[in-house]
Amino acid sequence: MVPMQRSAPRKRVAVTGASGLIGSALVHSLRADGHDVVRLVRRPARTADEVEWDPKRLYVDAAGLVGVDSVVHLAGAGVGERRWNDAYKQEIRDSRVLGTTAISQALASLAEPPESLVCGTALGWYGDTGSRAVDESAPAGTGFLPEVCVEWEAAAAPAEEAGIRVAYARTGLVVAREGGAWGRLFPLFRAGLGGRMGDGRQYWSFISLHDEVAALRHLVDTPTLSGPVNLTAPDPVTNREVTAAMGRVLRRPTVFTVPAPALKVVLGDFAQDVLGSQRVLPGRLLETGFDFAFPTIDDSIRSAAR
């Protein structure tokens, strides 16, 4: 990832989920621009830039967060990592709600809390929007993921009550070959085995990994941004259009189709979200002058395929 130009004074930023796809890219970007980064780890700290925490026990070594300017909270069980069953759905919920509760309570306990908490959440808040475009003013949808997102964001209340600026980074599908949902798509399409999912008419709200990191940093650096902020490119596309773009960029055929029943067998309850439609717009990013480096689906795929 290309380091960004420093747009603010040197900061000390704590990051949860620092070893994940987005977290590791964020840590690299911040350090490349000279910022100090503290990583929260689920084991005893071994170096000066680590802080121990255990979200399941609601434990954070709060002393390690003294002097931090901002916290970016990205930790949580992967939504697309395993087939959904009742046990894994509970893990998804607990990892987000308990983790956010632990972080927000620890920050609220500090004599001098940080300026901001950027809490990574998800576009799952909106549920299935069909072909209807929505922005941050839309209410929560119905179903498992919207319910989790509502609890997830509510868990940051202690930080808000302590006067910390809290922004909820509702992230779309991150286009990256290293991991996440797109990390599974790239090998299939490169092998010529890619194709649309279901009828392909469902909208996918995507964002390049580069723009995801830049948007998180925008939330850290923009004091007027609090509450929900959609981290997604300005032009959502259908799964059919994603399929065509993958074929164009990778120069591979896209003749295969994964029927809905097959997705349900492989993904369990998660299939309904893959087949669902989310046409979500980044209203608040655009209002505050954020500039997307890779605004289109072709641009984002090319960026990831380099």
Side-chain angles (χ1 to χ4, degrees), residues 31-298:
R31 286 179 169 166
D33 282 350
H35 299 291
D36 293 328
V37 179
V38 175
R39 297 172 295 120
L40 277 80
V41 295
R42 302 184 196 195
R43 53 168 172 72
R46 297 171 183 163
T47 60
D49 69 342
E50 293 183 343
V51 171
E52 182 182 0
W53 80 313
D54 184 343
K56 290 185 178 180
R57 292 194 296 117
L58 298 180
Y59 170 74
V60 180
D61 180 6
L65 299 178
V66 172
V68 163
D69 297 298
S70 183
V71 176
V72 182
H73 172 46
L74 302 173
V79 171
E81 298 299 319
R82 287 167 43 187
R83 187 179 189 277
W84 279 16
N85 54 28
D86 289 344
Y88 195 60
K89 287 166 72 173
Q90 189 63 48
E91 183 176 344
I92 288 172
R93 185 189 301 270
D94 287 349
S95 69
R96 286 156 173 76
V97 176
L98 296 180
T100 303
T101 299
I103 287 294
S104 59
Q105 289 180 346
L107 297 181
S109 74
L110 297 176
E112 294 186 15
E115 300 167 3
S116 62
L117 166 62
V118 176
C119 182
T121 64
L123 298 188
W125 166 279
Y126 302 103
D128 190 335
T129 72
S131 60
R132 176 174 55 94
V134 299
D135 62 13
E136 291 89 350
S137 65
T142 58
F144 173 70
L145 281 182
E147 290 172 2
V148 169
C149 288
V150 169
E151 292 184 45
W152 190 357
E153 295 187 4
E160 288 190 330
E161 292 165 1
I164 299 169
R165 175 176 64 88
V166 179
Y168 302 100
R170 294 177 180 169
T171 293
L173 291 167
V174 177
V175 185
R177 69 175 186 274
E178 300 92 343
W182 238 280
R184 294 185 174 190
L185 292 181
F186 268 101
L188 289 174
F189 277 87
R190 287 189 187 279
L193 300 175
R196 63 179 172 83
M197 298 181 183
D199 62 19
R201 290 181 290 191
Q202 67 272 31
Y203 275 88
W204 281 17
S205 295
F206 67 92
I207 186 169
S208 72
L209 180 58
H210 181 286
D211 284 334
E212 171 72 10
V213 170
L216 289 170
R217 292 189 55 176
H218 182 71
L219 295 186
V220 168
D221 293 335
T222 307
T224 58
L225 274 173
S226 62
V229 183
N230 295 334
L231 272 57
T232 180
D235 187 21
V237 292
T238 64
N239 175 256
R240 189 184 297 271
E241 292 171 308
V242 168
T243 299
M246 289 288 282
R248 282 194 301 272
V249 174
L250 300 180
R251 299 181 181 179
R252 294 290 188 274
T254 56
V255 297
F256 291 91
T257 299
V258 183
L263 283 172
K264 291 174 182 176
V265 170
V266 174
L267 301 178
D269 290 346
F270 184 43
Q272 66 189 23
D273 291 280
V274 171
L275 296 169
S277 182
Q278 289 191 314
R279 191 177 184 184
V280 181
L281 305 178
R284 301 197 66 205
L285 280 182
L286 296 175
E287 288 170 4
T288 53
F290 182 78
D291 185 22
F292 287 88
F294 304 102
T296 71
I297 188 62
D298 287 63

